Amino acid sequence: MSPVTNAAIDDDLWSAVGDPTRRRMLDLLLASGSGTSTSLSEQLPVSRQAVAKHLAVLERVGLTRVTPSGRERLYHVDEAQLARAVAQLSAVGEAWDARLARIKRIAETIQRNKK
Amino acid sequence: MSPVTNAAIDDDLWSAVGDPTRRRMLDLLLASGSGTSTSLSEQLPVSRQAVAKHLAVLERVGLTRVTPSGRERLYHVDEAQLARAVAQLSAVGEAWDARLARIKRIAETIQRNKK
DNA sequence: AGCCATGCGCAACCATTGGTTGCACATCGT
DNA sequence: ACGATGTGCAACCAATGGTTGCGCATGGCT
């Protein structure tokens, strides 16, 4: 079954979602449907510029898309891509779970054998 | 249900597991049971010192523990803590899934109403 | 016993990244 | 027309993931 993690393939998605600030931004965007760098920064402990950089990262990996509207730039989550990211997380989690289960099973076998 | 992610509480665990090299190190440790900075670096594209730093990070958050044996320092995964980390990942994934499902449901409702 | 090889830690250094502040520019509302 | 608001750009800073080089301790082999 190939290496446990999907290796280099989606490190970009992982590292995008790996940052706590970006995770919270995604939460906020999911909760309110959309937001701008300014509106998000008001709900976060970081500056508008920091938020803007994060939005650039999220956009680069396709997790968000932007709709310029007047002088505002309205961001919203790309649901399909987020679903993909969730799948990645699940995959890694399940792989580790499987490893842990296997280890446990082996440990029990040893236990049994040395009876 | 509190904010979607578990907020600041376990950012440490997340960021430990967020690094691709560290994820692969965990994979390797799970696969072979244990390893040293040297043995791991041989199976990774980074130097022994880089691996050593990562091991320090993993040890700090409790994901690995170390057993000095002669001149070697043998690391192995702390299964309980890794299970905790997996739970974190699942939690975030499930929360996002729920959000996405809710969005979809709302979208369908709107669709239905404007019949 | 003595010696060389092996495994590790420490320090200096570099690039990237997440954060800041300050400023310039565009757009919207009165 | 003008001020307030929303963005973008640039300079700068600290932390982090990476490197190389060196010194030290321990273990195995003659």
Side-chain angles (χ1 to χ4, degrees):
Chain A
M1 190 223 288
S2 64
V4 174
T5 52
N6 289 0
I9 311 175
D10 353 61
D11 277 358
D12 283 0
L13 213 46
W14 252 97
S15 75
V17 140
D19 182 273
T21 301
R22 286 195 285 267
R23 276 199 305 281
R24 278 160 212 154
M25 286 172 55
L26 289 173
D27 286 345
L28 292 172
L29 287 178
L30 284 174
S32 51
S34 67
T36 67
S37 55
T38 304
S39 79
L40 288 174
S41 71
E42 285 163 357
Q43 315 174 58
L44 287 169
V46 297
S47 68
R48 176 184 61 85
Q49 286 81 349
V51 170
K53 289 188 191 174
H54 285 302
L55 284 172
V57 172
L58 291 175
E59 201 181 1
R60 225 185 31 202
V61 302
L63 277 169
T64 62
R65 267 173 308 127
V66 67
T67 318
S69 161
R71 72 185 151 184
E72 294 191 337
R73 291 174 56 85
L74 212 51
Y75 286 82
H76 63 99
V77 175
D78 183 313
E79 305 176 16
Q81 190 70 358
L82 182 61
R84 256 198 79 207
V86 170
Q88 304 291 333
L89 295 189
S90 306
V92 173
E94 282 164 23
W96 280 342
D97 264 348
R99 289 279 196 204
L100 291 175
R102 193 161 150 271
I103 288 168
K104 203 176 161 200
R105 214 194 46 204
I106 291 172
E108 282 162 1
T109 302
I110 292 172
Q111 189 65 18
R112 199 164 36 239
N113 285 352
K114 82 176 173 196
K115 185 171 27 273
Chain B
M1 191 221 289
S2 66
V4 173
T5 52
N6 289 1
I9 311 174
D10 355 59
D11 276 358
D12 283 0
L13 213 46
W14 252 98
S15 78
V17 140
D19 182 273
T21 301
R22 284 194 287 265
R23 275 198 307 281
R24 278 162 212 150
M25 286 170 54
L26 289 172
D27 286 345
L28 292 171
L29 286 179
L30 284 175
S32 51
S34 66
T36 67
S37 54
T38 305
S39 78
L40 288 174
S41 71
E42 284 163 359
Q43 314 176 58
L44 287 169
V46 297
S47 68
R48 174 183 62 84
Q49 287 79 350
V51 171
K53 290 188 193 175
H54 285 303
L55 284 172
V57 172
L58 290 175
E59 201 181 0
R60 224 185 29 201
V61 301
L63 276 169
T64 63
R65 267 174 308 127
V66 67
T67 316
S69 161
R71 69 183 155 187
E72 293 191 338
R73 291 174 56 85
L74 213 49
Y75 287 81
H76 64 99
V77 175
D78 182 314
E79 305 177 16
Q81 190 70 356
L82 181 61
R84 256 198 80 205
V86 170
Q88 304 292 334
L89 295 189
S90 306
V92 173
E94 281 164 22
W96 281 342
D97 264 348
R99 288 279 196 204
L100 291 175
R102 194 161 150 272
I103 288 168
K104 204 177 160 198
R105 215 192 45 200
I106 291 172
E108 282 162 3
T109 301
I110 292 172
Q111 188 67 17
R112 200 163 37 238
N113 286 352
K114 83 176 174 197
K115 186 171 32 270

